[in-house]
Amino acid sequence: QVQVVESGGGLVQAGGSLRLSCAASGRIFSINDMGWYRQAPGKQRELVATITSGGSTNYADSVKGRFTISRDNAKNTLYLQMNSLKPEDTAVYYCNAAIKTSGFGTIYDYWGQGTQVTVSS
């Protein structure tokens, strides 16, 4: 079995910073792309940032220049450094990982349970 667990959310004032972490554990052969998504109340889940196993990154326009995605492949851990936070960044943030559980297995998408980020004005 595989578990994906986020941490690091909380309440912060506008202009502040937070760092989210996401740890994948269990029966993992390899992890391909990883990413952060978020869902605000009444809105659809949207992509925040993704990173390949080789370190190539992609960001939503709304967070470019403010958020930085990174990963530690040795620890199967994903990070999101969020700076200059705005009230519109308030959402539940979800971690996604494309994981292979064996050398000949299929790649499956795994999601964490989400962590709340609230930015006050």
Side-chain angles (χ1 to χ4, degrees), residues 26-76:
R27 188 181 175 185
I28 296 172
F29 177 79
S30 64
I31 303 178
N32 290 14
D33 292 358
M34 301 183 81
W36 290 99
Y37 294 75
R38 67 186 182 187
Q39 187 167 18
K43 294 188 177 181
Q44 289 190 330
R45 190 173 297 189
E46 63 176 5
L47 179 148
V48 175
T50 61
I51 185 168
T52 67
S53 57
S56 296
T57 59
N58 178 56
Y59 294 92
D61 288 343
S62 59
V63 307
K64 279 181 183 175
R66 300 188 298 122
F67 291 9
T68 302
I69 189 171
S70 62
R71 61 191 284 176
D72 184 333
N73 290 332
K75 296 181 179 179
N76 291 336

Side-chain angles (χ1 to χ4, degrees), residues 6 35-48 91-97 109-115:
E6 303 100 335
W36 290 99
Y37 294 75
R38 67 186 182 187
Q39 187 167 18
K43 294 188 177 181
Q44 289 190 330
R45 190 173 297 189
E46 63 176 5
L47 179 148
V48 175
V92 177
Y93 283 70
Y94 297 91
C95 172
N96 172 265
D109 267 347
Y110 289 88
W111 292 88
Q113 81 289 350
T115 185

Side-chain angles (χ1 to χ4, degrees), residues 15-32:
S17 298
L18 280 176
R19 189 190 195 209
L20 305 183
S21 298
C22 167
S25 62
R27 188 181 175 185
I28 296 172
F29 177 79
S30 64
I31 303 178
N32 290 14

